[in-house]
Amino acid sequence: MGRSAVDTLGRMTSDGRERPGEKQRGPVVLRGSRRNEETTTDQRLLDSRGPSDWVHTDPWRVLRIQAEFVEGFGLLAELPRAVTVFGSARTSRDHPEYALGVELGRALAEAGFAVITGGGPGAMESANRGCKEAGGLSVGLGIELPFEQGLNDYVDVGINFRYFFARKTMFVKYSQAFVCLPGGFGTLDELFEALTLVQTKKVTKFPVVLMGSEYWGGLYDWIAETVCGNGKIGEKDLALLHVTDDVEDAVSVVREAYKAWEDTH
């Protein structure tokens, strides 16, 4: 079949009318001046010459995002029951909060839970360390940041993410609870996102424990007196938060929630 016939067929509608000049690029239809592209997708793929600006385009970013989800799901699909521990990367190893994180990680491991953290230093390292030293599975989900250098040495299974939202999905999908050690904006972000997901029933039977009443007490009081007091949340929403200084109490909250979840599945 000659070119003119192909062009004519390509421009005919189902009822025999001629459609505007167009070019198909996979599922995409290009018309008018947009169709004047000389190369095909295969040709551009196989031809290694030319500028590299395409790696910074949004369609390429979509593939990177997809790859992060695939890698994360593949790595964590067979993870045993787990608890995510958040906390500040700035917590020093000689600080009492670091010792608390080690104790918490150890207790969770002894209770049969894997420990997931952001994989960084400080409080995250402490929880990974406690878990690993107790023989548990220590997991780190890192993030590309200008001021944090890779995964800590106590991570058994780890993955680094480019995108916060892909990483956040892994924290929620593969955890049975969140425990927050004292931390900054990152910890607060994860805390309130978890509370929102539980409040809106996107996730169920998901306790959120705040370790350290001196650190978290002011925030809890503000939520109780101002946010709940003004009717912005309900009493049952306030009950989603559990503040404690006791590691055994924290682990007990996690255990009970996990048992309730098991009973419904």
Side-chain angles (χ1 to χ4, degrees):
M1 183 179 289
R3 180 179 174 184
S4 59
V6 172
D7 287 348
T8 301
L9 287 173
R11 292 164 51 194
M12 299 298 288
T13 63
S14 59
D15 60 1
R17 291 182 293 108
E18 185 174 308
R19 70 176 70 188
E22 66 180 37
K23 179 175 184 177
Q24 283 193 297
R25 190 175 67 192
V28 177
V29 175
L30 302 175
R31 289 177 175 165
S33 62
R34 296 287 182 175
R35 68 190 176 94
N36 298 324
E37 193 173 81
E38 297 298 328
T39 61
T40 65
T41 303
D42 277 343
Q43 182 180 340
R44 291 192 299 276
L45 171 66
L46 298 173
D47 189 349
S48 61
R49 296 167 296 173
S52 61
D53 292 348
W54 58 273
V55 300
H56 303 296
T57 63
D58 285 342
W60 181 249
R61 289 192 182 101
V62 169
L63 294 179
R64 281 183 170 172
I65 292 165
Q66 177 180 292
E68 292 210 340
F69 280 106
V70 170
E71 289 290 343
F73 292 155
L75 178 69
L76 303 174
E78 297 181 359
L79 196 69
R81 60 183 186 168
V83 173
T84 292
V85 179
F86 293 110
S88 176
R90 303 183 185 191
T91 303
S92 62
R93 288 175 179 166
D94 59 356
H95 197 284
E97 290 168 3
Y98 187 94
L100 179 64
V102 173
E103 184 183 354
L104 174 65
R106 181 181 299 115
L108 288 169
E110 290 172 350
F113 292 94
V115 170
I116 304 173
T117 77
M124 293 174 280
E125 177 187 286
S126 70
N128 284 133
R129 178 176 180 174
C131 177
K132 184 177 179 67
E133 290 179 348
L137 179 59
S138 176
V139 181
L141 306 182
I143 186 71
E144 183 180 78
L145 292 175
F147 48 83
E148 286 186 22
Q149 301 296 319
L151 299 175
N152 67 66
D153 293 336
Y154 299 98
V155 169
D156 296 316
V157 176
I159 183 170
N160 272 307
F161 290 85
R162 285 187 178 91
Y163 301 100
F164 271 110
F165 53 84
R167 179 182 184 236
K168 284 179 175 182
T169 299
M170 304 304 154
F171 282 137
V172 175
K173 181 173 176 60
Y174 294 104
S175 297
Q176 273 70 50
F178 279 179
V179 180
C180 296
L181 294 165
F185 284 155
T187 303
L188 291 168
D189 176 49
E190 300 291 356
L191 164 63
F192 283 107
E193 180 160 25
L195 290 173
T196 302
L197 290 172
V198 178
Q199 182 196 45
T200 57
K201 301 189 184 301
K202 299 296 185 182
V203 294
T204 57
K205 308 294 184 186
F206 198 99
V208 180
V209 180
L210 303 179
M211 288 293 302
S213 60
E214 184 177 351
Y215 187 87
W216 294 111
L219 175 65
Y220 182 86
D221 290 343
W222 175 76
I223 293 172
E225 296 167 12
T226 302
V227 183
C228 187
N230 282 277
K232 308 306 183 190
I233 62 172
E235 291 287 344
K236 65 178 183 179
D237 298 321
L238 186 62
L240 299 174
L241 277 170
H242 184 85
V243 184
T244 185
D245 294 303
D246 185 71
V247 168
E248 287 187 15
D249 181 36
V251 174
S252 176
V253 169
V254 172
R255 266 208 204 102
E256 289 173 11
Y258 182 75
K259 184 177 184 303
W261 179 86
E262 272 192 319
D263 290 344
T264 61
H265 287 73

